[in-house]
């Protein structure tokens, strides 16, 4: 199965379904029952998209904050190691 085909299947699974009142008739040539139904559907879809983007944004910001904390910890550890190495060098110089 190709990546494109798999991705298309995943998108179809996640695609919002229009309810029966806003869908086309089965071969009867009728469109949506009203523009109000279509408007409500589109507004709902946009609301869901906004919610998903907000969740993704929050997740990304959380991960960036966590990475920043890890970098701070790493900088502190490197600083401690440098300080220990300098102290070890000073002791070695004093002994000789």
């Amino acid at each position: 199965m190709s990546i494109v085909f798999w991705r298309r299947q995943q998108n179809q699974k996640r695609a919002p379904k229009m309810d029966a009142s806003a869908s086309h008739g089965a071969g009867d040539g009728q469109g949506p029952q009203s523009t109000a139904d279509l408007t409500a559907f589109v507004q709902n879809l946009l609301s869901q998209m906004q919610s998903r983007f907000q969740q993704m944004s929050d997740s990304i910001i959380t991960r960036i904050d966590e990475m920043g904390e890890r970098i701070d910890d790493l900088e502190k550890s490197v600083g401690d190691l440098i300080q220990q190495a300098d102290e070890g060098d000073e002791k070695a110089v004093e002994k000789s």
Side-chain angles (χ1 to χ4, degrees):
M1 176 184 313
S2 74
I3 298 289
V4 173
F5 179 73
W6 177 83
R7 189 72 177 142
R8 194 173 297 150
Q9 282 183 329
Q10 296 303 311
N11 287 338
Q12 288 173 351
K13 288 179 186 177
R14 282 187 249 147
K17 305 280 191 262
M18 292 179 64
D19 62 8
S21 65
S23 64
H24 293 285
D28 59 8
Q30 295 179 344
Q33 289 186 352
S34 72
T35 55
D37 290 340
L38 184 58
T39 301
F41 173 76
V42 170
Q43 286 177 340
N44 184 34
L45 178 63
L46 291 174
S47 176
Q48 289 175 2
M49 289 174 60
Q50 181 179 8
S51 175
R52 288 182 184 157
F53 279 118
Q54 187 61 48
Q55 289 172 352
M56 288 190 305
S57 176
D58 292 344
S59 175
I60 290 169
I61 290 171
T62 299
R63 289 180 182 181
I64 289 172
D65 289 344
E66 290 171 354
M67 191 61 76
E69 291 173 5
R70 289 180 181 177
I71 290 171
D72 291 344
D73 292 343
L74 183 59
E75 287 176 340
K76 184 181 180 307
S77 295
V78 169
D80 291 345
L81 289 172
I82 290 172
Q83 184 178 2
Q84 290 174 3
D86 288 344
E87 290 172 1
D89 288 345
E90 290 173 3
K91 288 180 183 179
V93 170
E94 289 174 1
K95 287 183 181 178
S96 39

